[in-house]
Amino acid sequence: MKKTWHLLLPDWSSYDTLWQSERPFALWPIGNQPLISYWMDEAVNQEIDEITLYTADRPNELRNYLDDGNFWSRPVHVMPIRSDEDAPEDATPVVGLPRANRLPEPIEGEAGLLQQWLRLNREWLDNLQDHTLKIEVKHPAGGWVGPHVRIHPTAKLVAPFWIQGKCEVGAGAQVGPYACIGENAIVDENASVQRSIVLPGTMVGCNTSLENVAVEGGLLLDSKRGCRVAITDSFILSNISEKLSSPSILERLLALALFCLVSPVAALSRIDWSELEAHDGRGGALRLKTGSQGRLIVRRWHWLKEVVKGRMRLVGILPRPVDWTSEAADLDVARRLAKTTPGVIALSDVHDSHSPQDPTEWIHASYQALCDDKSIGKLIRSKIWRLVFKPIQ
């Protein structure tokens, strides 16, 4: 007899006001893989022949990840629904790990979903013996450590913990209890990570203490206070994984030369400067000064310093205010743009749209950020000198 599963993936997108993730909760990482992967593994263990998933939250993202179940060698169907109430009565709500599928308390307020995420990671650590870790090995301190991890002899490891590959734990640092450290992360000297999640590519700076939080790059998600904080000081939290999005040495030198060239003009220009707090594309924030009149390069003169520092590109989408995401009509696109490295000159400038407040700017920004089209960079570079010295009213 054919064994089938009907699963409901609850639409919790309205609760995701802190992380504002591009992915539905079913694709949030629990330890070393997304939540839905544990259900697929359990389906294999129970010899389930066919799985149907009902979801109203970004079904295409889920379908792309599962790839019709090819990885699990059994068909997986993703059925879009308008709301959770449209799922069949026999569909099992996926609210936790397969062998402990429960919601201890209803998700309420901004912190509710984050607290559930942290709770599931703690449950995963408590039952790590039940899960198959193909790469990580048991550490004498009782936790699990991946390959190419460097741990200083004076660091303190308190079980349970999980440290993925290519991480570094500095002198006097503490990891655990209940710490999940993603790949390519750094826990610097005398830092502490307890009951927290450090997502891949994040540096936790010296003397920084994390407890009951999740961090991604320069973004801190506090489950206790129910808030998100964009850390602008890179010595506290920073993103170290996006080397490809950082400007090259040549690009920084060009920005420095352009900054020096424009400095006399900017000093003599009567420009009313205003301050803008914008997404840096890495979970943190940039504090930029911008002008309201004059030539484009003069108005964005201060931005060139951020290119020299490696926090912006010469060519990229326009910097977006940190509150822009909540005001955008298309929330998914807004979240993607917030995680794209901004630039001094953008594709929208070619089309005479010089501000994220322009009605059509987001269309050009979306195309530039979401499409891997080399012709975009070529087009902007061909017009860059005309653009940077273009007078704007």
Side-chain angles (χ1 to χ4, degrees):
M1 182 177 178
K2 192 174 184 179
K3 297 174 67 176
T4 62
W5 261 7
H6 293 266
L7 303 177
L8 166 64
L9 306 182
D11 182 3
W12 286 341
S13 57
S14 62
Y15 297 112
D16 183 20
T17 57
L18 296 181
W19 191 11
Q20 299 175 5
S21 174
E22 300 172 359
R23 296 164 291 181
F25 187 79
L27 295 181
W28 287 22
I30 309 299
N32 62 348
Q33 61 182 2
L35 173 61
I36 191 60
S37 295
Y38 295 99
W39 285 84
M40 296 299 100
D41 292 342
E42 185 67 14
V44 174
N45 294 335
Q46 294 192 24
E47 298 182 348
I48 303 299
D49 298 305
E50 190 172 355
I51 306 110
T52 302
L53 306 175
Y54 298 89
T55 182
D57 185 10
R58 287 162 282 189
N60 286 334
E61 294 281 345
L62 190 67
R63 187 179 291 111
N64 291 338
Y65 174 76
L66 293 171
D67 190 24
D68 295 326
N70 291 333
F71 183 77
W72 286 274
S73 302
R74 62 208 59 227
V76 180
H77 310 291
V78 178
M79 301 295 293
I81 54 179
R82 289 178 296 179
S83 66
D84 294 351
E85 288 73 21
D86 292 336
E89 292 184 0
D90 63 341
T92 301
V94 174
V95 297
L97 294 166
R99 300 182 186 181
N101 186 36
R102 64 184 184 279
L103 195 61
E105 55 189 42
I107 295 177
E108 295 180 355
E110 293 186 328
L113 193 60
L114 179 59
Q115 290 168 356
Q116 174 66 1
W117 184 32
L118 291 168
R119 186 184 298 118
L120 291 180
N121 274 273
R122 291 196 297 268
E123 289 182 4
W124 179 77
L125 286 170
D126 280 333
N127 298 282
L128 204 49
Q129 301 287 356
D130 297 335
H131 303 289
T132 301
L133 294 180
K134 298 180 180 179
I135 299 178
E136 295 84 351
V137 296
K138 192 72 174 289
H139 190 273
W144 297 81
V145 176
H148 309 296
V149 172
R150 295 189 297 176
I151 302 173
H152 195 275
T154 63
K156 182 180 180 181
L157 303 181
V158 183
F161 61 86
W162 171 75
I163 305 175
Q164 205 169 8
K166 302 176 184 178
C167 292
E168 183 173 341
V169 180
Q174 177 174 332
V175 173
Y178 293 104
C180 287
I181 312 294
E183 191 175 35
N184 290 311
I186 295 176
V187 181
D188 216 340
E189 296 181 5
N190 300 313
S192 174
V193 180
Q194 302 179 55
R195 299 173 184 84
S196 297
I197 301 170
V198 177
L199 290 169
T202 300
M203 187 196 76
V204 181
C206 295
N207 302 306
T208 300
S209 179
L210 304 179
E211 185 163 1
N212 290 314
V213 300
V215 292
E216 181 186 36
L219 178 65
L220 182 143
L221 310 172
D222 191 329
S223 67
K224 183 177 180 180
R225 297 174 178 82
C227 65
R228 57 178 278 146
V229 182
I231 305 297
T232 57
D233 296 317
S234 59
F235 62 86
I236 298 176
L237 286 175
S238 62
N239 189 313
I240 55 176
S241 66
E242 299 187 4
K243 295 181 180 179
L244 292 177
S245 66
S246 298
S248 64
I249 296 297
L250 181 61
E251 189 173 343
R252 296 186 192 198
L253 290 175
L254 180 58
L256 179 61
L258 199 54
F259 178 83
C260 296
L261 178 66
V262 177
S263 293
V265 180
L268 296 173
S269 300
R270 296 181 178 180
I271 295 180
D272 293 328
W273 298 104
S274 59
E275 191 168 276
L276 167 69
E277 187 176 22
H279 293 287
D280 67 355
R282 304 176 183 182
L286 293 166
R287 296 190 183 276
L288 302 172
K289 286 185 177 181
T290 183
S292 58
Q293 58 188 7
R295 296 185 182 276
L296 192 63
I297 193 60
V298 178
R299 295 171 57 179
R300 300 175 184 175
W301 171 59
H302 287 277
W303 301 7
L304 293 167
K305 291 189 294 184
E306 299 302 328
V307 180
V308 177
K309 294 177 183 177
R311 303 189 68 193
M312 287 182 68
R313 303 294 303 268
L314 277 176
V315 174
I317 68 168
L318 293 182
R320 327 193 82 70
V322 292
D323 58 354
W324 183 85
T325 303
S326 60
E327 299 175 357
D330 191 324
L331 191 57
D332 287 342
V333 172
R335 288 172 175 173
R336 288 179 181 269
L337 294 181
K339 293 188 176 183
T340 302
T341 304
V344 177
I345 303 298
L347 176 64
S348 61
D349 291 317
V350 177
H351 298 279
D352 296 318
S353 185
H354 307 293
S355 169
Q357 280 70 42
D358 290 348
T360 60
E361 186 275 343
W362 73 273
I363 300 174
H364 307 300
S366 301
Y367 183 77
Q368 186 176 358
L370 306 181
C371 298
D372 185 18
D373 190 345
K374 294 182 180 179
S375 64
I376 295 175
K378 185 177 180 180
L379 172 65
I380 296 174
R381 285 192 295 270
S382 68
K383 299 178 179 293
I384 193 165
W385 292 110
R386 181 182 66 83
L387 286 172
V388 295
F389 294 109
K390 182 179 181 179
I392 306 296
Q393 300 299 324

